[in-house]
Amino acid sequence: MRLIEFLRKPSAFIAANWAGLLGVLTLGGAVPAFAGNQRVTSSLNTYADEGGVTVLRQLRHTWWRDLPATACFWVYVISGIATVALMVGVFEAPTRVFFAGLLVPVYWVAGALLGCYIRAAATVPLHAPRGRVVDEMVRLALAHPFRALLTVPVVIATTPVWALAPLTVACGLSVPAWALSTVWGRGVAASPRLDRFANTVSLD
């Protein structure tokens, strides 16, 4: 029994990661997948027995609501890759430094706002309308600007986990989600009890 109790949290961690990877592979479920992982890793005690189910529930109920944010996420990723490729392949070193100085703050702020939206989606009830998620995103950005900006370097610091295939399969989404949950802290998270009261245990 002690062994089973010891394995509850790691199993929820891994199950949330696998369910999240499934959501990212659908492309349209990327933001709900990230939000579901943050929901689980923010309170492993609460979701220890339903880590993967919680992420799948998040995907099912919020993929359409969060579709504009997901589209913004993919635009952010693709434009970032294209910008880096353009600067490395076309511009000389002084020009690269100039454009980097201009673009890094823009991408940083955009990434921080995406991080705030994902955090908001992870803390409000699943059936909350998009407007409430946006309101919570704005509240997080204004009330906790340092934590919002810190989300970008945290994701960059965890690059080996989500970029290397073996680690990605094991914990590539859950580790960054746990790190971001730690950055945001319990003080700015929604109550797990309220979340569990607002949503049913089943996938319906």
Side-chain angles (χ1 to χ4, degrees), residues 108-202:
W108 196 338
V109 171
L113 290 176
L114 277 171
C116 288
Y117 186 95
I118 291 170
R119 183 61 181 180
T123 54
V124 301
L126 294 183
H127 297 288
R130 185 181 301 150
R132 178 172 177 184
V133 183
V134 173
D135 289 344
E136 179 66 8
M137 176 194 75
V138 173
R139 186 192 73 80
L140 290 174
L142 295 179
H144 308 280
F146 178 74
R147 294 182 185 184
L149 291 173
L150 194 58
T151 59
V152 177
V154 166
V155 172
I156 294 174
T158 56
T159 298
V161 177
W162 53 261
L164 299 177
L167 294 177
T168 303
V169 173
C171 56
L173 293 186
S174 292
V175 167
W178 172 81
L180 291 172
S181 298
T182 303
V183 167
W184 284 110
R186 297 288 296 169
V188 295
S191 169
R193 292 183 179 178
L194 176 62
D195 178 60
R196 289 172 66 84
F197 176 77
N199 302 290
T200 59
V201 176
S202 68

Side-chain angles (χ1 to χ4, degrees), residues 11-199:
S11 63
F13 204 79
I14 295 172
N17 183 74
W18 290 350
L21 288 176
L22 178 63
V24 173
L25 289 175
T26 66
L27 300 183
V31 165
F34 300 145
N37 268 264
Q38 280 204 38
R39 188 181 294 272
V40 173
T41 56
S42 293
S43 183
L44 283 172
N45 286 326
T46 302
Y47 300 109
D49 296 323
E50 49 183 34
V53 173
T54 299
V55 177
L56 293 176
R57 187 184 303 130
Q58 183 95 23
L59 284 165
R60 177 175 179 179
H61 288 291
T62 68
W63 74 271
W64 181 254
R65 181 197 70 189
D66 295 337
L67 191 59
T70 299
C72 290
F73 168 78
W74 288 118
V75 169
Y76 177 80
V77 171
I78 293 171
S79 64
I81 295 173
T83 300
V84 171
L86 182 65
M87 288 196 297
V88 171
V90 177
F91 298 126
E92 299 294 332
T95 308
R96 286 201 296 267
V97 173
F98 172 75
F99 279 110
L102 290 178
L103 294 176
V104 166
V106 175
Y107 278 102
W108 196 338
V109 171
L113 290 176
L114 277 171
C116 288
Y117 186 95
I118 291 170
R119 183 61 181 180
T123 54
V124 301
L126 294 183
H127 297 288
R130 185 181 301 150
R132 178 172 177 184
V133 183
V134 173
D135 289 344
E136 179 66 8
M137 176 194 75
V138 173
R139 186 192 73 80
L140 290 174
L142 295 179
H144 308 280
F146 178 74
R147 294 182 185 184
L149 291 173
L150 194 58
T151 59
V152 177
V154 166
V155 172
I156 294 174
T158 56
T159 298
V161 177
W162 53 261
L164 299 177
L167 294 177
T168 303
V169 173
C171 56
L173 293 186
S174 292
V175 167
W178 172 81
L180 291 172
S181 298
T182 303
V183 167
W184 284 110
R186 297 288 296 169
V188 295
S191 169
R193 292 183 179 178
L194 176 62
D195 178 60
R196 289 172 66 84
F197 176 77
N199 302 290

